[in-house]
Amino acid sequence: MSSHGPTFPGAPDRPGTPAPVGFDVDLSAHEMLRRAHVLDALGPDWDPGAALRGEEEAYALLYSGLDAEQQRVYDELVAAGVLPGRGDGHAAP
């Protein structure tokens, strides 16, 4: 074995090597099955609107009560696009 690792028959740098063969896998059916399993696991009582509202409330709570320095950093992160802006761009009081 050379210091460059093993060589394999039909390696692309060898003359007469056949062209690579295209290999495609369609995972559409698998993805639909995965989504069906996720929705089944969530159950019939799952309310996406309520989940989104809960996330918004948690986000507002997370950035509430910031002191002046924390608010400045938060505003810079929003301006830089690191954090999404909410309302007037300030954390909830």
Side-chain angles (χ1 to χ4, degrees), residues 15-92:
T17 301
V21 176
F23 184 76
D24 296 328
V25 177
D26 183 3
L27 297 175
S28 301
H30 184 313
E31 177 62 15
M32 293 306 296
L33 180 61
R34 186 195 68 79
R35 289 180 185 188
H37 285 299
V38 167
L39 291 174
D40 187 44
L42 289 170
D45 298 329
W46 180 64
D47 181 0
L52 181 58
R53 285 187 297 278
E55 287 182 21
E56 292 291 332
E57 291 169 6
Y59 184 89
L61 184 60
L62 178 64
Y63 294 108
S64 66
L66 301 179
D67 65 27
E69 176 64 14
Q70 292 168 332
Q71 184 67 52
R72 183 190 64 74
V73 171
Y74 173 84
D75 291 340
E76 285 182 12
L77 292 172
V78 170
V82 175
L83 293 174
R86 297 281 192 242
D88 64 357
H90 292 287

